[in-house]
Amino acid sequence: MRLNVVTHNPGKVKEYNLALSGYGLEMVHVNREYDEVQTAYLEEVVDKGIKQLAKEGLTDFLVDDSGLFINHFKGFPGVYSAYGQKTLGNKGILKLMEGVEDRGAVFKCCIGARIGDQTIIVTGQCPGEILLEERGTEGFGYDPIFSPDGVHSFAEIPTDEKNIISHRGVALRLFIDELKARGLI
Ligand code: IMP
């Protein structure tokens, strides 16, 4: 089966291909916009996106949305993580968190798909904390300031190891389980 991956990021298509091609799924990159509603929940962004794309006639596709939810900021940047990265950046977040004791945060990744007339929405989480300083050179985005174990940052962990424990890795496994449970793969 061919599955359209709606994203501006070709790297994501590669990642999905890697994870799902073994199950007979072939990913096709669809570089197309959908409206991202203003809400605190990734699931709502994904759900509305799926409904809009289906209404526009797209079939057999998946979308995803992820973000970093920081306790001290009551979940910000969350669904606005791309914007938070562009504006504050890691240095800005560290500055705002100087002297803050509660450094808890969680990365979340929501994958949504519409296959035939079925809708699947799953969310993977990776809890951790915001470090006191940037560490490591791997990865992207918030990786240098987020640590899943309180010791190493995501940017210090090799990508293949990060992918096992990351929010995206967890979401992908949940997605595969759901495809299997529904007899789609
Ligand atoms: P997207 O929804 O996957 O495009 O992610 C939104 C934003 O969240 C990105 O621009 C990154 O800043 C951040 N982000 C998502 N996943 C990760 C990750 O695994 N590491 C670091 N930053 C991430």
Side-chain angles (χ1 to χ4, degrees):
M1 177 175 45
R2 285 160 76 96
L3 201 53
N4 295 299
V5 183
V6 183
T7 177
H8 293 307
N9 182 351
K12 280 193 185 174
V13 186
K14 256 193 211 158
E15 206 172 310
Y16 281 114
N17 233 336
L18 211 66
L20 297 170
S21 60
Y23 296 98
L25 288 177
E26 184 197 342
M27 303 298 128
V28 180
H29 187 191
V30 175
N31 195 348
R32 169 167 169 174
E33 291 285 339
Y34 59 93
D35 297 334
E36 295 203 0
V37 287
Q38 299 226 330
T39 162
Y41 304 102
L42 295 175
E43 291 79 4
E44 211 176 321
V45 176
V46 163
D47 183 50
K48 293 267 163 56
I50 290 175
K51 286 185 177 134
Q52 181 190 334
L53 291 163
K55 213 167 158 188
E56 289 171 6
L58 191 65
T59 52
D60 297 339
F61 62 89
L62 76 76
V63 298
D64 77 5
D65 200 12
S66 47
L68 177 65
F69 295 72
I70 301 177
N71 295 353
H72 178 67
F73 302 129
K74 300 194 166 33
F76 183 81
V79 294
Y80 307 106
S81 288
Y83 184 69
Q85 187 60 221
K86 229 181 344 186
T87 51
L88 289 168
N90 293 336
K91 288 189 173 48
I93 287 181
L94 291 179
K95 184 97 195 131
L96 288 173
M97 287 189 70
E98 269 174 17
V100 170
E101 265 182 38
D102 178 6
R103 305 196 70 88
V106 57
F107 258 127
K108 296 184 192 178
C109 173
C110 180
I111 301 176
R114 177 98 185 143
I115 301 173
D117 60 0
Q118 300 198 49
T119 298
I120 297 173
I121 296 181
V122 295
T123 305
Q125 304 205 10
C126 179
E129 58 189 70
I130 303 301
L131 294 166
L132 295 168
E133 75 278 310
E134 291 179 82
R135 275 195 235 149
T137 51
E138 301 272 330
F140 65 99
Y142 299 98
D143 282 348
I145 61 167
F146 179 84
S147 170
D149 58 8
V151 184
H152 300 104
S153 79
F154 258 174
E156 291 177 313
I157 301 173
T159 308
D160 51 346
E161 276 177 44
K162 175 191 160 187
N163 288 346
I164 295 171
I165 55 167
S166 79
H167 47 308
R168 203 165 291 103
V170 174
L172 250 167
R173 286 195 291 280
L174 291 171
F175 184 59
I176 290 168
D177 288 348
E178 197 57 43
L179 291 172
K180 282 183 185 161
R182 296 179 189 217
L184 292 167
I185 55 173

